[in-house]
Amino acid sequence: MSGHLLAITIGPVQEFIAAARRTRDLWFGSFLLSEISKATAKAIQDQGGKLIFPYSSDLTRDLQPAKEDQATKTFNVVNVILCEILEGDDPKFIANEAKIAAKARWQFWAKNASGVAESIIDHTIWQSQVNDVMEFYAAWTPFDKQNYGEARQRVMCLLTGRKTLRDFLPAQGLTKVAKSSLDGLRESVLIRGQTREETRELRLEVLKGKKHLAHRLRLRRGEELDVVALTKRAATKEVFASVVRVAVDPWIRGILADEGDALVTLRDEIGGLCQSLVGKNPEETENVTGTGRHYKETVFPYDGSVLLPNRLNVIIRNTEEDEEGV
């Protein structure tokens, strides 16, 4: 035998990606899962494993951790890793090293988020959740160059079986603590009072002098976030266009192509309304009705909700809440 095939899968996909309210939640959850997978692949490579996928022409460069200001330009890796472990190397040891690296990468971004949002999180609940997030499953099987196809099929079957035999750890649930609004799996890590009204007032008071945090979290009335959801909101400054803005973009492009009176109304009158709603602060423009670096060079670099009558009142109400600090 020349060695082993080692297959690894990272999760949870549901919490990292599918559980989302904002497009930014979706993006950062996907980015976070990719970063953890990159750390896993890099650890395997550092231990002498030969990566089958992910693959690139320069893995040494592409597997480097992404920096916060380059998060949207990084090399992406899916959550399944496949590699060849050379003869004489221990696949169990390499899988364990990869698991340590994966957890460390998750902890890095979670620490970023807690540093930004420390004034509004319950640190006891945060610590109880942060070490119980990642799912890491590995399987391996002997192979040589002559039976790669058979070994590949076998190792993926073994990995599927390992995922089915999940690690069911004891629940650490808390009574009388609201669940996360995004998926309801974990309790909220946000600070709370004895009643809903006390909770709202407490959070308003904390965020009153922290505009940057209020704009980054963009909490709705009564919204609760667990450790994963808050990490997706607070770990980076990256801003994304809303689903509504993506949906109305074909209509905006049609107006631009016609170059009629509607274009003047859209650009000057409605655009002016957006600017008046958020003021002249560029950071607020990006975080309240802006689109970050997306659609920035278009005729309408604002959130598309303002173009829908039934959503305009929501924007105005949210802007008034922002002035109060939430």
Side-chain angles (χ1 to χ4, degrees):
M1 294 293 179
S2 62
H4 292 80
L5 274 186
L6 169 64
I8 293 172
T9 183
I10 310 292
V13 175
Q14 167 66 24
E15 287 185 78
F16 282 149
I17 301 177
R21 177 173 72 82
R22 304 175 61 81
T23 50
R24 189 182 183 288
D25 296 341
L26 289 169
W27 164 73
F28 189 78
S30 179
F31 164 78
L32 181 59
L33 194 55
S34 174
E35 281 295 289
I36 294 171
S37 297
K38 277 169 57 178
T40 302
K42 185 176 185 302
I44 292 171
Q45 188 179 57
D46 291 345
Q47 292 297 325
K50 297 177 62 177
L51 291 168
I52 298 172
F53 59 84
Y55 172 81
S56 82
S57 58
D58 190 354
L59 278 173
T60 301
R61 177 198 64 193
D62 291 336
L63 292 181
Q64 294 301 313
K67 298 179 180 179
E68 183 177 342
D69 59 351
Q70 299 175 339
T72 57
K73 302 177 181 179
T74 185
F75 178 71
N76 293 312
V77 176
V78 299
N79 68 319
V80 178
I81 312 295
L82 182 67
C83 66
E84 177 186 351
I85 306 301
L86 301 181
E87 185 175 7
D89 290 339
D90 183 358
K92 182 176 181 179
F93 173 81
I94 293 177
N96 188 59
E97 290 297 300
K99 183 176 183 179
I100 293 171
K103 286 188 173 181
R105 196 59 185 156
W106 153 248
Q107 293 278 0
F108 170 83
W109 288 107
K111 185 177 179 180
N112 273 11
S114 65
V116 171
E118 61 179 349
S119 58
I120 200 170
I121 62 177
D122 183 315
H123 291 274
T124 300
I125 300 179
W126 176 276
Q127 289 300 326
S128 71
Q129 292 185 10
V130 74
N131 294 320
D132 185 29
V133 169
M134 273 192 48
E135 295 175 359
F136 185 100
Y137 301 110
W140 53 89
T141 190
F143 96 112
D144 56 38
K145 300 295 184 181
Q146 305 304 316
N147 73 337
Y148 173 78
E150 179 183 340
R152 167 75 180 274
Q153 184 177 22
R154 174 170 171 74
V155 77
M156 298 310 292
C157 286
L158 289 172
L159 183 62
T160 300
R162 176 64 184 90
K163 288 174 64 178
T164 302
L165 298 173
R166 297 179 182 273
D167 298 329
F168 291 102
L169 300 177
Q172 301 294 328
L174 301 172
T175 60
K176 299 182 180 180
V177 178
K179 297 284 189 178
S180 169
S181 302
L182 298 191
D183 58 19
L185 292 180
R186 292 185 174 87
E187 286 76 20
S188 172
V189 297
L190 300 178
I191 56 176
R192 64 194 183 281
Q194 296 297 317
T195 65
R196 289 184 180 180
E197 189 58 34
E198 283 186 22
T199 297
R200 175 171 169 75
E201 292 300 322
L202 179 60
R203 294 174 186 176
L204 281 172
E205 184 64 28
V206 169
L207 295 176
K208 187 177 295 182
K210 299 181 181 296
K211 285 285 188 179
H212 69 287
L213 178 58
H215 289 148
R216 194 178 291 195
L217 295 181
R218 298 295 293 146
L219 290 173
R220 283 183 175 176
R221 184 188 297 268
E223 187 173 27
E224 303 288 352
L225 303 176
D226 66 1
V227 65
V228 177
L230 190 138
T231 298
K232 290 193 285 189
R233 294 279 176 89
T236 72
K237 298 179 181 178
E238 188 69 34
V239 180
F240 271 74
S242 69
V243 174
V244 177
R245 179 61 179 84
V246 175
V248 302
D249 193 61
W251 179 76
I252 292 174
R253 294 199 306 268
I255 289 178
L256 180 61
D258 290 341
E259 297 183 345
D261 293 339
L263 177 59
V264 176
T265 301
L266 177 68
R267 182 184 59 217
D268 299 335
E269 297 183 21
I270 302 179
L273 171 62
C274 289
Q275 187 64 36
S276 68
L277 282 173
V278 300
K280 297 182 179 180
N281 186 318
E283 182 180 4
E284 292 186 9
T285 300
E286 287 193 349
N287 284 279
V288 179
T289 61
T291 59
R293 70 184 70 187
H294 308 275
Y295 303 109
K296 189 174 183 180
E297 304 301 325
T298 67
V299 68
F300 193 77
Y302 301 100
D303 189 299
S305 296
V306 73
L307 301 173
L308 306 178
N310 65 325
R311 301 293 296 271
L312 183 57
N313 288 334
V314 176
I315 290 180
I316 295 173
R317 185 189 69 200
N318 288 345
T319 304
E320 291 172 348
E321 290 181 351
D322 286 336
E323 292 174 355
E324 297 175 3
V326 72

